[in-house]
Amino acid sequence: MNHNHSNYQVCIDFINGIHGLLKRTFGLPVNTLVEPIAYDPKCPFKYNNFVYRVSLPSPLDKENGAWHKPGCVAIPSGVSDLILRLTNSDATSMGAANRVENEVAMMTLAAAALDPNFEPRVVPRLYGWAGITSKKGEPQQGWILQELMPGVPLDERLDNMELEEKKEIFAQIAKLLKGLQDFPLPASITKFGGLTFDNENNIISAPMTTTSTGPWPSYEAAFEARLKQAPKKTDENPYIQGWHENGQLESHNDKAIIHAVFMGLGASLGAGLEAREERALKEAKLHGFPDPLPDDQQGSEEVQWKVAKVWEDALQNEGCKRPITTSGIDIVADVDALLSSILPWRVTNSDILRRQTCQVIQNCRNENEKVLIEILEHIGF
């Protein structure tokens, strides 16, 4: 039994208890049905959230009063289905106390940026939420109650679409991305990292949810903090053991690479253990796509050059910021590669380690060591 399913009954018990909250606070019927969706009991990785469909016995006959938390609106009349999301407190790299607040704040900003200019809406309405830490500092189950929006996840359909259909979809996504990029953030967000709310419900800077550190006054500070944090974590890893065995990071406390550039680039751009074609794609994103394009590679995890070029063209046509238009991106790629190699995912992720033999883990560790040496040499160490 995997981690997700071992916690299944805990979530169900909480949901059974939350029926009182749904009744007391939202006026929903006690015979409301709550059932899991998008859940695979055999999934080898820890879910960040457990998602449930809340089905009312009949549509609401009147508008429900708005929840008292920021970002929330009243549940409209006529609604019969909602989405309830429970945070997984044991999710890998998601330990920050403000993770619910960060998501609510991000959705609030996204709605402000996109809802006035796009039809139909793409950001679900929020009806209620609770963070994973109470006002008294006590841990509690985090949850979000939100609008159920019709549609099918793009990743379930994209691979089967023709190239022209993908081109149309990418153009729409690029417009959304440009809308987010152009949206002026509130003056209350003064630093880089995650988000939360102050006592007056203003959205303010907070630790980054994936690192539980920050916020930082600049990108330089963010990189520096992550570079200082990474070697400490390697010291605790029984397979890496601080990379001290062959002397790779003996002077890691003396040096750090810092550079202020735009970080919101999506996937990692640094060199790593990926296949040669993946490295070639990263080079194309950084410096321009080759003409003619290489042939597409076979396999779901290989490079699809035509699709990648269509996405790049969509971003260019919409005027979106992207790697090739970002000054200093080469340095960002180097820093990202260094961080990924100091703390390689395949040797530090608990879900991956649990499914591998010690010999496989050791081989991966040795492969990463070679990459780490190459990167250190590339950046002048």
Side-chain angles (χ1 to χ4, degrees):
M1 179 180 296
N2 69 17
H3 168 88
N4 292 320
H5 207 56
S6 64
N7 280 351
Y8 184 84
Q9 189 58 45
V10 175
C11 294
I12 295 299
D13 291 343
F14 176 80
I15 290 172
N16 289 334
I18 207 174
H19 273 92
L21 173 64
L22 297 177
K23 166 65 176 177
R24 183 176 62 256
T25 305
F26 296 98
L28 302 182
V30 292
N31 58 338
T32 294
L33 176 64
V34 181
E35 55 184 349
I37 61 174
Y39 176 74
D40 179 4
K42 296 182 180 180
C43 179
F45 301 103
K46 299 183 184 75
Y47 286 119
N48 288 335
N49 299 281
F50 297 105
V51 185
Y52 301 85
R53 184 183 188 124
V54 177
S55 300
L56 309 181
S58 60
L60 291 177
D61 57 3
K62 63 179 180 179
E63 181 179 89
N64 178 277
W67 183 246
H68 63 278
K69 292 287 187 71
C72 297
V73 298
I75 304 177
S77 62
V79 167
S80 58
D81 294 279
L82 309 100
I83 290 293
L84 174 65
R85 299 165 58 206
L86 305 185
T87 59
N88 182 3
S89 59
D90 292 324
T92 304
S93 301
M94 291 294 290
N98 63 298
R99 56 175 296 191
V100 174
E101 291 85 345
N102 179 77
E103 186 157 0
V104 170
M106 289 292 187
M107 292 176 68
T108 301
L109 292 176
L114 302 178
D115 285 357
N117 303 310
F118 291 89
E119 186 66 34
R121 291 182 300 103
V122 294
V123 182
R125 295 186 176 102
L126 298 171
Y127 300 134
W129 59 271
I132 66 173
T133 304
S134 68
K135 291 184 178 180
K136 297 180 180 179
E138 301 170 346
Q140 61 183 16
Q141 173 64 61
W143 57 270
I144 296 176
L145 184 68
Q146 65 187 59
E147 177 184 14
L148 185 151
M149 302 187 75
V152 177
L154 182 59
D155 60 358
E156 294 182 5
R157 296 284 183 87
L158 189 62
D159 288 344
N160 296 323
M161 290 181 180
E162 297 295 332
L163 188 61
E164 284 302 311
E165 189 175 5
K166 291 178 180 179
K167 183 176 181 180
E168 181 179 346
I169 294 294
F170 288 167
Q172 296 176 26
I173 298 175
K175 288 182 181 294
L176 295 174
L177 178 60
K178 188 64 164 63
L180 293 174
Q181 290 181 350
D182 290 346
F183 181 71
L185 296 179
S188 54
I189 301 175
T190 60
K191 298 180 180 181
F192 302 95
L195 300 173
T196 190
F197 297 92
D198 64 15
N199 292 332
E200 297 179 350
N201 293 339
N202 297 308
I203 298 176
I204 60 173
S205 302
M208 180 181 291
T209 58
T210 54
T211 64
S212 299
T213 55
W216 304 280
S218 65
Y219 282 128
E220 295 99 319
F223 279 125
E224 185 176 12
R226 292 173 63 196
L227 283 167
K228 286 182 177 179
Q229 184 187 59
K232 294 178 182 178
K233 290 185 176 181
T234 66
D235 290 336
E236 303 168 358
N237 186 285
Y239 303 101
I240 302 175
Q241 297 181 0
W243 296 113
H244 296 309
E245 182 177 337
N246 296 311
Q248 276 73 40
L249 294 180
E250 288 301 323
S251 61
H252 67 252
N253 289 323
D254 301 327
K255 299 179 179 68
I257 302 173
I258 51 178
H259 195 81
V261 295
F262 176 69
M263 283 180 60
L265 303 174
S268 169
L269 290 170
L273 286 179
E274 66 275 355
R276 178 178 59 84
E277 286 293 320
E278 283 286 346
R279 295 192 186 191
L281 177 59
K282 290 179 180 180
E283 285 296 310
K285 292 179 180 179
L286 291 169
H287 306 295
F289 279 68
D291 185 16
L293 292 174
D295 293 333
D296 284 355
Q297 303 299 302
Q298 299 299 317
S300 60
E301 297 182 359
E302 301 296 342
V303 173
Q304 299 181 41
W305 282 97
K306 293 178 181 178
V307 174
K309 183 60 165 61
V310 167
W311 172 235
E312 185 73 11
D313 290 344
L315 294 175
Q316 181 178 0
N317 294 338
E318 197 59 39
C320 294
K321 297 174 184 176
R322 60 194 201 281
I324 199 171
T325 65
T326 306
S327 176
I329 192 61
D330 286 352
I331 301 177
V332 173
D334 288 341
V335 174
D336 184 65
L338 180 60
L339 284 167
S340 298
S341 298
I342 293 175
L343 280 173
W345 183 71
R346 290 169 59 192
V347 191
T348 57
N349 181 276
S350 60
D351 296 323
I352 288 292
L353 294 175
R354 190 170 59 247
R355 298 168 60 84
Q356 304 295 337
T357 66
C358 289
Q359 186 58 55
V360 170
I361 296 172
Q362 186 62 39
N363 292 342
C364 184
R365 180 252 181 233
N366 294 339
E367 292 173 5
N368 271 283
E369 183 178 36
K370 295 177 183 178
V371 173
L372 177 59
I373 293 173
E374 292 177 1
I375 294 172
L376 288 171
E377 291 176 346
H378 169 70
I379 61 181
F381 282 85

